[in-house]
Every structure is written in structure tokens, then in C-alpha cells.
Amino acid sequence: SSGINAEYGMKFDFFSKDEVLAVTEYLKSTVFQQYKLYRFTLLQEREETIISLEKIVNTCPPMGSFDPPPLAEAISDHDIEVYLNAPPPERKKRRKRKRKRKKRK
């Protein structure tokens, strides 16, 4: 039939019969034979291990910036009152040591 499709009147002669058979055999022995494996590996959900390292970098605000720090970093009014009204720490009393003087000759 020389590559002519009688129903549609189209001619398909870009591959010979032997080339079509070779491509078909290649696809059967490679892609289609391993289709279930490809499908399993590409569509299977996998367990992911996420490894991360968090670094916190404190920076100074740029010169001329008057933005206050975030409220989440603020000290509560109660803590400020406790700090300001706390009695001063007691100082340990020092004992005066008597120095021994060396006798002069």
C-alpha cells in the first residue's frame, strides 16, 4: 500500500516499514517494559529529611533610623517596677587586716 492511508488519503512515508518495526521494538523493550517502574519511582511519595541550620544575626539599625525594637522584645512593666524598686545589694564588709611591720635594725 506504499504508506498511503486509503481512508483519509494521506501519505505517511517518512519511515520505512523496517524503521517503524525497529522503533516499535526499541520502545517495547525499553520504555514500555519499564513503565511500571518509572511510574512507581516518579509518583511514589518519599520521606523527606530536612536538615537546616538556623542562624540568628543581630544587627544595629542603620544610622538615622528611629524605628523602635519590636514589642515582642520589650520588657514588661512589672519586671521594670521590680528592678527599679529592688533594694540595693548588700555589700560584704571588709575586715581590716593589720599589717605586720618588719622591725628595722
Side-chain angles (χ1 to χ4, degrees), residues 71-86:
L71 288 176
E73 296 177 12
I75 300 172
S76 70
D77 289 340
H78 173 74
D79 290 343
I80 292 173
E81 288 294 322
V82 168
Y83 177 77
L84 293 176
N85 295 325

Side-chain angles (χ1 to χ4, degrees), residues 32-49:
F32 296 133
Q33 186 176 7
Q34 305 299 328
Y35 175 73
K36 286 184 180 179
L37 179 63
Y38 291 140
R39 186 171 164 202
F40 177 78
T41 57
L42 295 175
L43 299 178
Q44 184 70 24
E45 288 190 30
R46 299 179 199 145
E47 182 179 328
E48 293 182 14
T49 302

Side-chain angles (χ1 to χ4, degrees), residues 6-54:
E7 187 177 336
Y8 298 107
M10 294 197 262
K11 191 171 185 179
F12 300 105
D13 59 355
F14 26 83
F15 289 118
S16 71
K17 185 177 180 181
D18 291 336
E19 290 172 331
V20 171
L21 288 173
V23 169
T24 304
E25 281 301 314
Y26 174 77
L27 291 174
K28 274 178 35 181
S29 66
T30 57
V31 176
F32 296 133
Q33 186 176 7
Q34 305 299 328
Y35 175 73
K36 286 184 180 179
L37 179 63
Y38 291 140
R39 186 171 164 202
F40 177 78
T41 57
L42 295 175
L43 299 178
Q44 184 70 24
E45 288 190 30
R46 299 179 199 145
E47 182 179 328
E48 293 182 14
T49 302
I50 299 174
I51 300 173
S52 66
L53 175 65
E54 184 178 326

Side-chain angles (χ1 to χ4, degrees), residues 52-68:
S52 66
L53 175 65
E54 184 178 326
K55 290 186 178 182
I56 298 173
V57 178
N58 295 320
T59 59
C60 294
M63 289 289 287
S65 172
F66 298 105
D67 294 332

